[in-house]
Amino acid sequence: MSPRAPASLSRSQARRVTLAAQGFTDPAHTPPTMRTLSRTVGRTGLLQVDSVNVLVRAHQMPLYSRMGPYDRSLLDRAASGRERRRLVEYWAHVQAFMPVGLWPAFAHRRVAYRARRGKWARIAEGDPVEHRLLAELGDRGPSTARELEHLATAGARTTEHWGWNWSEARRVLDYLYAAGEVAIAGRTSSFEVRYGLPEDVLPRAVLETPTPPVADQHLTLVRRAARSHGVATLRCLADYHRMLVEQVRPAVETLVESGELVPVRVEGWDRPAYLHADARRPRRVAARALLSPFDPVVWERERTERLFGFRYRIEIYTPAHRRLHGYYVLPFLLGEELVARVDLKADRPTGRLLVQGAFAEPGAPADTEAQLAAELRRMAGWLDLDDVVVAANGDLAPGLALEVARV
C-alpha cells in the first residue's frame, strides 16, 4: 500500500476494503482447487462450525460464497490426516476450522480452559473418566464420544444444559478438547466429532513449535484479524477471535507503531478505526453471493449495520410466529451492497431448493431479482438439487419467481 494512507474512508470505501480483504475480489479458479481453498481460508482466517444443516453446513458456505461451486471433499481433505492437515477445529471464534499454524497462538485459551476445568461443563479435578478416555484414545486412535461411553461411570445422557444431550464421556471429552488434551480428528457422516490425541491429529511441526509468550499470541491473532477485516475498530478486532478489548489494545498499539496498522476515520463510525497497511482498496467490487448467517462479513451485527446499513439477526431460535424473515435467512451480496435476504431450505428428498421468503432492501437495484435467481440456480446445482421453488412470501417473491422460471 502507498505510504500516503488516507486519513479517512467513506462508508463505500470501507465496504470495498472489507470485501477485498475477505476474498470477494480474488480471481475465480475453474474448477476451484486445494490452492483456491487455501487462498480463501487465508482471507477469512476461520470457518465457523454449526450443526444446523437446513441448507448446507455452516463451514462449507463461506467457501462457496467466495469460490463458487466447489467439490466439498476439498474441505474434508484439508481437515483430515496428520502431516498433510491444513485445518483443525478449535474455539477460535466460536467452534471453527482454523489453519493448523494458529494452534500455538491459542495456547493461552487452552490454559484458561484447563484452569477452569472446561468451557461449558466443569469437570472435577482428578476425574477418573478423564484418564480412562485419554488411555483409550491412545490405544484405539480417534473415536467418537458414543464409542467411548462405556468408559464413563454413568453412561446415561442428560439434558442438564439447554439444547444438549451429553453423556458423561462427552462432557469430559469437551473439557479435554477445550484444554488441548485432545483435538478433533474429523467428523462422521452424521457430524459426530471424532476425538484424538493431539499427536494423532496435528502435524509434528505444529506440536513442536515453542509456545510463544502470551503477548505474542495476542499479537498473532490481532494481526490475523486485521488482515481479514481490512479496516476495523478495536471491538471488531476483538470479536474476530473472541478476545477481550484489553487483550487487543496493546497489540494494536504495537502494530500502529510498526506501521502495519494505520489509524483512520470511517464515515458513520463513532469509534477510531485501523486500516491494514496491505489492505487493497479497489475502486469497484463485482460480487454476487449468498452469505451464510455465520459468514465473517456479517457475524458481528453492529459492524454489518455500520458498513452496509443492513440490520441482521439470526432467527433460528426465535419462535416461528415472531420471525420477521424466516428460519435460515441469507443476505444477498450484489456488488458491494447487501441488497436482499432469502429464507432458504434444501429439501433433499424432493431435490428442491426452497425459497421460503424473499425480501428486498431499500434501494435494491432493478436487476436484483434476475441476479438472485441466477445465484439460486447456481447454488441448487452445487447442492445437487434439481429445482428452485419460490414461495409467495416477501416483497421480492413475485418478481423472483418469474426470474427463476426464466433461468
Side-chain angles (χ1 to χ4, degrees):
M1 188 181 119
S2 165
R4 294 174 296 178
S8 63
L9 295 174
S10 69
R11 186 179 285 110
S12 175
Q13 287 173 321
R15 278 196 300 267
R16 283 178 267 133
V17 165
T18 294
L19 292 171
Q22 282 286 319
F24 286 98
T25 59
D26 289 341
H29 291 172
T30 306
T33 63
M34 187 63 78
R35 175 169 165 262
T36 321
L37 184 148
S38 295
R39 181 185 69 181
T40 303
V41 175
R43 304 292 189 209
T44 66
L46 305 167
L47 298 171
Q48 183 172 337
V49 174
D50 189 83
S51 60
V52 174
N53 195 28
V54 67
L55 179 67
V56 68
R57 297 290 184 193
H59 56 283
Q60 296 172 338
M61 187 65 197
L63 296 173
Y64 169 79
S65 299
R66 292 153 178 80
M67 292 163 41
Y70 70 97
D71 181 349
R72 280 174 279 174
S73 71
L74 284 175
L75 184 52
D76 295 335
R77 299 202 327 259
S80 63
R82 186 192 175 193
E83 294 304 325
R84 68 183 183 187
R85 177 184 290 271
R86 299 165 186 250
L87 304 175
V88 68
E89 289 188 53
Y90 190 62
W91 289 105
H93 173 70
V94 292
Q95 183 95 358
F97 283 102
M98 67 178 190
V100 291
L102 279 182
W103 185 263
F106 283 101
H108 68 283
R109 189 161 295 175
R110 295 191 290 274
V111 168
Y113 288 144
R114 195 174 300 125
R116 290 171 51 190
R117 300 293 296 176
K119 177 174 173 61
W120 305 111
R122 300 292 178 263
I123 304 303
E125 190 82 38
D127 189 323
V129 176
E130 177 182 340
H131 303 291
R132 289 200 291 269
L133 288 168
L134 289 172
E136 185 74 1
L137 287 172
D139 289 341
R140 65 180 289 164
S143 309
T144 67
R146 194 181 303 274
E147 292 168 335
L148 300 172
E149 283 181 0
H150 65 284
L151 299 171
T153 54
R157 294 170 178 265
T158 73
T159 55
E160 177 183 349
H161 301 281
W162 180 87
W164 299 343
N165 185 26
W166 285 5
S167 67
E168 183 179 1
R170 175 68 174 82
R171 291 196 300 274
V172 176
L173 285 165
D174 184 73
Y175 156 67
L176 293 171
Y177 162 62
E181 301 297 326
V182 303
I184 292 182
R187 290 179 179 264
T188 67
S189 58
S190 58
F191 212 56
E192 282 186 279
V193 170
R194 293 174 58 249
Y195 298 93
L197 299 181
E199 55 265 34
D200 292 332
V201 175
L202 295 164
R204 184 175 291 102
V206 170
L207 292 175
E208 292 177 352
T209 299
T211 300
V214 172
D216 289 350
Q217 296 175 42
H218 293 167
L219 183 64
T220 294
L221 296 178
V222 172
R223 177 179 280 127
R224 176 62 272 177
R227 283 189 175 277
S228 291
H229 268 320
V231 61
T233 65
L234 281 175
R235 180 172 171 175
C236 297
L237 294 170
D239 180 72
Y240 215 81
H241 295 107
R242 293 293 167 92
M243 300 170 69
L244 300 175
V245 170
E246 291 73 21
Q247 296 172 324
V248 167
R249 186 175 284 110
V252 168
E253 291 172 356
T254 297
L255 294 172
V256 168
E257 185 176 351
S258 70
E260 193 167 337
L261 290 182
V262 180
V264 293
R265 295 187 303 274
V266 177
E267 177 190 1
W269 292 16
D270 58 4
R271 298 186 182 99
Y274 302 89
L275 177 70
H276 196 281
D278 294 332
R280 288 172 292 170
R281 288 181 278 157
R283 295 178 180 272
R284 178 173 176 269
V285 174
R288 190 191 76 187
L290 288 159
L291 304 181
S292 160
F294 307 104
D295 193 289
V297 170
V298 297
W299 69 27
E300 213 289 306
R301 307 310 184 202
E302 181 182 329
R303 176 182 171 87
T304 303
E305 195 158 353
R306 290 181 182 276
L307 270 176
F308 297 96
F310 187 90
R311 190 176 189 277
Y312 185 45
R313 300 293 184 271
I314 293 180
E315 298 182 279
I316 291 171
Y317 305 113
T318 303
H321 68 280
R322 294 177 55 192
R323 292 178 192 141
L324 295 177
H325 298 107
Y327 180 79
Y328 201 77
V329 176
L330 285 75
F332 180 48
L333 174 67
L334 188 61
E336 65 177 72
E337 300 275 7
L338 297 175
V339 301
R341 61 188 89 198
V342 285
D343 179 19
L344 298 183
K345 177 180 180 179
D347 189 0
R348 297 175 181 89
T350 65
R352 300 179 301 166
L353 178 59
L354 303 182
V355 184
Q356 303 185 116
F359 308 86
E361 289 298 293
D367 64 342
T368 295
E369 291 101 327
Q371 294 285 355
L372 180 53
E375 183 55 35
L376 289 167
R377 285 291 187 191
R378 186 173 78 142
M379 173 180 277
W382 176 57
L383 297 176
D384 297 320
L385 302 172
D386 299 322
D387 201 6
V388 177
V389 178
V390 181
N393 179 30
D395 61 324
L396 201 61
L400 180 61
L402 291 174
E403 291 294 340
V404 164
R406 293 191 183 108
V407 177

